[in-house]
Short mmCIF file of all heavy atoms in Angstrom, two decimals:
data_model
loop_
_atom_site.label_atom_id
_atom_site.label_comp_id
_atom_site.label_asym_id
_atom_site.label_seq_id
_atom_site.Cartn_x
_atom_site.Cartn_y
_atom_site.Cartn_z
N THR A 1522 -4.90 -4.59 8.36
CA THR A 1522 -5.69 -4.86 7.17
C THR A 1522 -6.78 -5.87 7.51
O THR A 1522 -6.50 -6.93 8.07
CB THR A 1522 -4.82 -5.44 6.04
OG1 THR A 1522 -3.75 -4.56 5.76
CG2 THR A 1522 -5.64 -5.65 4.77
N VAL A 1523 -8.02 -5.54 7.18
CA VAL A 1523 -9.16 -6.42 7.38
C VAL A 1523 -9.96 -6.47 6.08
O VAL A 1523 -10.21 -5.43 5.47
CB VAL A 1523 -10.06 -5.92 8.53
CG1 VAL A 1523 -11.32 -6.80 8.66
CG2 VAL A 1523 -9.29 -5.91 9.84
N HIS A 1524 -10.33 -7.67 5.66
CA HIS A 1524 -11.25 -7.81 4.53
C HIS A 1524 -12.66 -7.99 5.08
O HIS A 1524 -12.92 -8.92 5.86
CB HIS A 1524 -10.87 -9.03 3.69
CG HIS A 1524 -9.62 -8.88 2.90
ND1 HIS A 1524 -9.32 -9.66 1.80
CD2 HIS A 1524 -8.57 -8.02 3.04
CE1 HIS A 1524 -8.15 -9.30 1.30
NE2 HIS A 1524 -7.68 -8.31 2.04
N LEU A 1525 -13.55 -7.11 4.69
CA LEU A 1525 -14.96 -7.20 5.08
C LEU A 1525 -15.74 -7.73 3.88
O LEU A 1525 -15.92 -7.03 2.88
CB LEU A 1525 -15.47 -5.82 5.51
CG LEU A 1525 -14.78 -5.26 6.77
CD1 LEU A 1525 -15.15 -3.80 6.98
CD2 LEU A 1525 -15.15 -6.08 7.99
N VAL A 1526 -16.15 -8.99 3.99
CA VAL A 1526 -16.70 -9.73 2.86
C VAL A 1526 -18.22 -9.88 3.04
O VAL A 1526 -18.70 -10.13 4.15
CB VAL A 1526 -16.06 -11.12 2.76
CG1 VAL A 1526 -16.57 -11.87 1.54
CG2 VAL A 1526 -14.53 -10.99 2.70
N GLN A 1527 -18.96 -9.75 1.93
CA GLN A 1527 -20.39 -9.99 1.99
C GLN A 1527 -20.65 -11.38 2.60
O GLN A 1527 -20.11 -12.38 2.14
CB GLN A 1527 -20.99 -9.95 0.58
CG GLN A 1527 -20.97 -8.58 -0.07
CD GLN A 1527 -22.17 -7.71 0.31
OE1 GLN A 1527 -22.93 -8.05 1.20
NE2 GLN A 1527 -22.32 -6.60 -0.38
N THR A 1528 -21.45 -11.44 3.65
CA THR A 1528 -21.69 -12.69 4.36
C THR A 1528 -22.23 -13.77 3.43
O THR A 1528 -21.85 -14.95 3.55
CB THR A 1528 -22.66 -12.45 5.52
OG1 THR A 1528 -22.07 -11.53 6.44
CG2 THR A 1528 -22.99 -13.74 6.25
N SER A 1529 -23.07 -13.40 2.50
CA SER A 1529 -23.63 -14.40 1.59
C SER A 1529 -22.56 -15.07 0.74
O SER A 1529 -22.65 -16.28 0.44
CB SER A 1529 -24.68 -13.75 0.68
OG SER A 1529 -24.09 -12.68 -0.07
N LEU A 1530 -21.52 -14.34 0.37
CA LEU A 1530 -20.44 -14.91 -0.41
C LEU A 1530 -19.61 -15.88 0.42
O LEU A 1530 -19.20 -16.95 -0.07
CB LEU A 1530 -19.54 -13.81 -0.96
CG LEU A 1530 -20.16 -12.88 -1.99
CD1 LEU A 1530 -19.17 -11.77 -2.36
CD2 LEU A 1530 -20.58 -13.65 -3.24
N MET A 1531 -19.36 -15.53 1.67
CA MET A 1531 -18.60 -16.43 2.54
C MET A 1531 -19.39 -17.71 2.81
O MET A 1531 -18.83 -18.81 2.83
CB MET A 1531 -18.25 -15.72 3.85
CG MET A 1531 -17.22 -14.63 3.71
SD MET A 1531 -15.61 -15.23 3.12
CE MET A 1531 -15.11 -16.23 4.52
N CYS A 1532 -20.68 -17.58 2.99
CA CYS A 1532 -21.51 -18.75 3.21
C CYS A 1532 -21.46 -19.69 2.01
O CYS A 1532 -21.36 -20.91 2.14
CB CYS A 1532 -22.95 -18.35 3.49
SG CYS A 1532 -23.20 -17.65 5.15
N ALA A 1533 -21.51 -19.10 0.81
CA ALA A 1533 -21.49 -19.90 -0.39
C ALA A 1533 -20.14 -20.60 -0.60
O ALA A 1533 -20.06 -21.71 -1.12
CB ALA A 1533 -21.80 -19.03 -1.62
N ASP A 1534 -19.05 -19.94 -0.14
CA ASP A 1534 -17.70 -20.49 -0.37
C ASP A 1534 -17.29 -21.50 0.70
O ASP A 1534 -16.76 -22.56 0.38
CB ASP A 1534 -16.68 -19.35 -0.42
CG ASP A 1534 -15.32 -19.85 -0.84
OD1 ASP A 1534 -15.13 -20.09 -2.05
OD2 ASP A 1534 -14.46 -20.01 0.03
N VAL A 1535 -17.50 -21.17 1.98
CA VAL A 1535 -17.00 -22.02 3.04
C VAL A 1535 -18.11 -22.63 3.88
O VAL A 1535 -17.86 -23.45 4.77
CB VAL A 1535 -16.04 -21.24 3.97
CG1 VAL A 1535 -14.87 -20.70 3.17
CG2 VAL A 1535 -16.76 -20.10 4.69
#
Side-chain angles (χ1 to χ4, degrees):
T1522 304
V1523 176
H1524 288 200
L1525 296 169
V1526 183
Q1527 293 275 10
T1528 298
S1529 59
L1530 294 176
M1531 289 298 293
C1532 286
D1534 187 77
V1535 301

